[in-house]
Amino acid sequence: MANPLTPDVLVDPVELTRTLVDIESVSRHEQAIADHVEEVLRDAAHLSVDRLGNTVMARTDLGREQRVVLAGHLDTVPLNDNFPSTVVDDLIYGCGTSDMKSGVALALHLAATLPDPRYDLTYLFYEAEEIDSKYNGLHLVSESRPEWLLADFAVLLEPTYGVVEAGCQGTLRALVKTTGRRAHTARAWRGSNAIHAAGEVLQRLSDYRPRTVTIDGCTYREGLNAVKIAGGVAGNVVPDACVVEVNMRFAPDRTEKQALEHVHEVFEGFEVELTDSAPGALPGLTAAPAREFLTAVGAEPAAKLGWTDVARFAALGIPALNYGPGDPLLAHAQDEHVEIGKIRDGAATLHRWLGL
Ligand SMILES: [Zn+2]
């Protein structure tokens, strides 16, 4: 199949967004889009290109003092009667328009049209962000090609509606367990009811006052919530076990270990079992390329409350933030769309920042 990413398309980030949306790339089906992107990048004399699975990396080597990563995932969630794209006035509708082919389009447009950027640039177009993290292209790169990620600063072009969203909160899930003693409900006094004992766990959750933390001007709001509860043996048995699953979202000034210690403190006297956790990422807005980026955007940063792949860069000590034209509230929605004006604004901002 001829590559639809022609030179005419690459120079126009809006046309490029549409063209990328019209290459179907639901997670685990990124081969076609990765092939097209790789071919375009290999045609650019100023880039050296490598590939791992369906993740494509391209970089300049101009001997600049600083290196910046621009990254975006190529995959989308499953189609939902929203393929191919359609245009209505200033809006492009279609699966992946917001999350995040408009962001990928900005990076690919720059890769093709900016041979002489102010910093050395590494472009990462990666696979499988929307599914289990064991398939995530950035995760796979961090395991087997960590040198691809080395940089002074990274921008993920995930949808933020043109706002700089810095850092991200960490997340932790744990089981809080209560125990009791089984008995026939006709002689309940011989047992001890573990579901009733969970009342105290729920009370502590209701009474919990989460922290609000401001770091580098970004305000993070923590949360601790029950997300599931399980218990009970049969309709005539006093239950001897109950489990409340809790999810804590924590500001990036806490490590995973400190967050777990905090959960242990909140549920002192109960058994707490960690099931999984992922670290947050500090906003890292003090690095020189980050400060210059904020100047180019010309607006105050906001805190990222969800967990995103910026944490993978933070784990390597690389400050990273999210900035993209899509509206995050439309990600994964059936009527997903992106504003053409936001794509043009984003391209202008990145040219202002990265052009000489
Ligand atoms: Zn995304």
Side-chain angles (χ1 to χ4, degrees):
M1 177 185 158
N3 193 335
L5 305 175
T6 59
D8 288 354
V9 168
L10 289 163
V11 295
D12 180 354
V14 175
E15 250 335 282
L16 183 51
T17 298
R18 256 204 104 166
T19 308
L20 288 168
V21 170
D22 291 343
I23 305 170
E24 190 190 312
S25 60
V26 175
S27 309
R28 311 297 282 150
H29 296 93
E30 300 97 329
Q31 178 163 357
I33 196 168
D35 286 351
H36 292 319
V37 166
E38 180 185 2
E39 188 186 351
V40 161
L41 296 169
R42 288 200 188 276
D43 283 345
H46 60 284
L47 297 173
S48 52
V49 180
D50 207 344
R51 178 161 170 167
L52 177 70
N54 287 324
T55 295
V56 185
M57 184 278 292
R59 50 184 281 154
T60 64
D61 282 291
L62 301 164
R64 304 279 194 259
E65 271 180 31
Q66 309 250 24
R67 176 172 292 281
V68 168
V69 169
L70 296 180
H73 60 83
L74 294 171
D75 63 320
T76 70
V77 294
L79 307 182
N80 185 10
D81 207 13
N82 52 7
F83 180 92
S85 64
T86 51
V87 175
V88 180
D89 300 326
D90 183 43
L91 306 176
I92 306 174
Y93 282 85
C95 186
T97 45
S98 166
D99 185 12
M100 58 172 284
K101 288 185 171 170
S102 50
V104 166
L106 293 187
L108 193 56
H109 164 71
L110 285 168
T113 61
L114 194 66
D116 197 27
R118 177 191 308 226
Y119 313 106
D120 268 313
L121 291 174
T122 302
Y123 299 96
L124 282 165
F125 301 97
Y126 63 101
E127 61 182 325
E129 189 272 346
E130 298 287 6
I131 54 174
D132 191 294
S133 72
K134 72 180 181 216
Y135 302 110
N136 182 301
L138 265 194
H139 165 71
L140 298 175
V141 166
S142 71
E143 299 252 291
S144 66
R145 303 280 194 284
E147 66 279 6
W148 290 7
L149 303 180
L150 292 184
D152 299 283
F153 178 52
V155 175
L156 263 82
L157 294 144
E158 287 276 8
T160 66
Y161 204 51
V163 172
V164 175
E165 293 189 337
C168 75
Q169 297 210 118
T171 178
L172 172 163
R173 260 185 295 273
L175 306 177
V176 184
K177 300 178 176 181
T178 60
T179 51
R181 197 170 57 252
R182 285 192 199 188
H184 197 297
T185 46
R187 290 173 292 276
W189 65 89
R190 295 177 62 88
S192 156
N193 192 312
I195 292 180
H196 296 185
E200 171 65 18
V201 174
L202 301 180
Q203 191 59 49
R204 290 191 199 177
L205 284 163
S206 308
D207 293 343
Y208 185 77
R209 292 289 166 265
R211 287 189 320 157
T212 297
V213 187
T214 301
I215 307 165
D216 285 1
C218 299
T219 299
Y220 297 89
R221 299 184 57 167
E222 295 190 327
L224 179 61
N225 282 279
V227 291
K228 201 182 278 180
I229 185 162
V233 179
N236 56 357
V237 178
V238 174
D240 60 348
C242 182
V243 178
V244 180
E245 184 177 0
V246 298
N247 179 213
M248 181 175 183
R249 297 290 171 144
F250 53 94
D253 64 334
R254 297 194 210 253
T255 64
E256 286 168 277
K257 186 164 171 282
Q258 288 167 336
L260 179 60
E261 281 165 11
H262 179 70
V263 170
H264 273 287
E265 274 164 33
V266 171
F267 298 108
E268 212 203 314
F270 293 96
E271 185 188 342
V272 173
E273 182 191 325
L274 176 70
T275 51
D276 70 275
S277 73
L282 286 164
L285 297 175
T286 51
R291 286 202 311 272
E292 285 159 25
F293 177 69
L294 291 177
T295 305
V297 175
E300 291 298 306
K304 186 78 184 175
L305 299 180
W307 195 90
T308 81
D309 275 337
V310 299
R312 296 186 198 279
F313 287 96
L316 297 165
I318 300 163
L321 52 74
N322 288 286
Y323 171 80
D327 180 343
L329 300 177
L330 297 170
H332 306 184
Q334 199 276 330
D335 66 342
E336 182 174 356
H337 57 270
V338 63
E339 293 174 24
I340 286 171
K342 288 282 178 195
I343 300 172
R344 298 220 183 277
D345 289 351
T349 298
L350 293 174
H351 274 290
R352 223 169 20 247
W353 175 46
L354 296 169
L356 277 175

